[in-house]
Amino acid sequence: MSIKLLVDICPLLRRRTGVGNYIFYLLRELICDKRVDDVVGICGAKILNRQQLLAFLFPEKSNVQEALTLPKSGGVKKVLKHVPYIRELNGYWQSVLLYHRQRRYQDYIFWGGNYAIPQFWHYKSILTIHDLSHIHYPDCHPVDRVRFLNKYLPATVQRATVITVVSSATALDVNKSLGKSLVLPPIFVVSPAVGEHFYNLSVTQEALICAKYSLPKRFILSVGTFEPRKNFMRLLDAYAGLPEASRRAYPLVLVGEQGWLADDILRRIESVENVRWLGYVPEEDVPYLYKLAHVFVYVSLFEGFGMPILEALSVGTPVITSNRGAMQEAAGGLARLVTPENTEEIRLALAEYITFTNILDDSGMASVAPQHRVTWAARKEDMINILQCMSI
């Protein structure tokens, strides 16, 4: 029984967010597993063999300097983003390129970790669906993304040999939302885990991070790309509704890059006192921000899982999150749940945690939950089980 993987690595060739991190950490585990005979990465015309992929996934362990730099976000790329049907053209071009090479990889399983399988791929494949927010909250996405997914995802689902999803809630949603009109392949849950950089955090480094970002003694933290679905506007409104003394004692620190329709969020930040936006933060610094925060708030309107919830709980930081299926599932009964559309509920939850922390000493508020310390090595076993069944 031979396991060979051909993996779409396009989400890894830019600054990684949730989807990119999911593929990155799972792929790092898979490529080092002795049961996996070969892994090849593909993105457009670029194909990376196993050794090149190892150098890319483990740069700290490799002396090989491959030409795998992140694409520059220059003028051409910005212009192309606004070209009509650029997603379709890009997908078609990748499909044609792979079509001429696919005989070489006919005994490989293609893993489309970002909703996509090449149109002309006729062999075994795994399609990962992270969420169906484009169906439930289309107004929270650019029009071209919604149109693209509505047009192409159903056909991609039907070409897939297997579907993987990141939560049981998403599995139910795929069955309910797509199963009405499509014959679905088998669906398996392979949830995210906490990266190894969340373990054994250094007290010395914690102090350095605190100084690096000039963090206050106590603060409220929220992490996510600035876009409508992440619900930052209601979070900012809720925070603005707190007494001035509470806001002075507990500044709100936001971490994340500008996404779609971020301008309104940026203007609102400027209008609320005691709010700091750090922008993009290097991945190695993020665990310390979670650890230093007195409460983490993640009141997204819709998620397929909610990795930041897992990450905050893994270092023992209390969490306020949305009472939606996937986020409630990620919290595992250890978070304060609120209705994300209800600004007053969010404000009251923030006020409760501020009151709670005031009666505690600085030794901390919560202990680390063992169930939120699941490793990527453990999640890899879920993926290996699927691949072994497909390789028979």
Side-chain angles (χ1 to χ4, degrees), residues 298-301 309 320-329 331 335-342 345:
Y298 194 75
V299 287
S300 176
L301 294 172
I309 300 168
I320 298 170
T321 192
S322 304
N323 59 0
R324 297 294 189 261
M327 286 173 279
Q328 188 170 350
E329 181 180 335
R336 170 72 156 81
L337 302 178
V338 296
T339 304
E341 295 88 355
N342 191 320
E345 271 192 43

Side-chain angles (χ1 to χ4, degrees), residues 37 58 76 104 119 154 215 223 247 249 261 302 312 316 319 339 368:
D37 298 281
F58 298 94
V76 174
R104 188 187 313 171
Q119 186 176 349
L215 296 172
V223 175
R247 285 186 278 113
L261 296 182
F302 191 92
V319 170
T339 304
V368 176

Side-chain angles (χ1 to χ4, degrees), residues 154-203:
T156 305
V157 165
Q158 293 194 297
R159 291 201 311 275
T161 310
V162 163
I163 291 175
T164 61
V165 293
V166 294
S167 66
S168 297
T170 301
L172 291 172
D173 192 16
V174 170
N175 272 304
K176 183 178 179 180
S177 299
L178 301 180
K180 293 181 294 187
S181 56
L182 303 174
V183 177
L184 301 177
I187 301 174
F188 299 93
V189 177
V190 182
S191 296
V194 176
E196 57 197 34
H197 56 300
F198 277 81
Y199 300 106
N200 303 317
L201 299 184
S202 159
V203 175

Side-chain angles (χ1 to χ4, degrees), residues 203-242:
V203 175
T204 302
Q205 186 64 18
E206 186 175 312
L208 292 173
I209 293 297
C210 192
K212 177 180 178 179
Y213 296 102
S214 301
L215 296 172
K217 183 179 179 182
R218 293 180 173 181
F219 63 92
I220 298 164
L221 177 69
S222 191
V223 175
T225 302
F226 282 11
E227 60 184 19
R229 182 163 58 99
K230 300 300 181 180
N231 207 25
F232 278 108
M233 291 294 282
R234 288 191 180 91
L235 171 58
L236 287 163
D237 289 345
Y239 181 74
L242 293 173

Side-chain angles (χ1 to χ4, degrees), residues 6 40-49 52 98 101 104-105:
L6 183 62
V40 173
I42 182 169
C43 180
K46 185 185 289 293
I47 292 183
L48 307 184
N49 62 35
Q52 292 173 314
L98 187 57
R101 296 181 173 98
R104 188 187 313 171
Y105 301 112

Side-chain angles (χ1 to χ4, degrees), residues 143-159:
V143 173
D144 68 315
R145 183 188 301 165
V146 175
R147 176 180 52 78
F148 179 85
L149 288 171
N150 283 337
K151 182 176 181 179
Y152 291 100
L153 184 59
T156 305
V157 165
Q158 293 194 297
R159 291 201 311 275

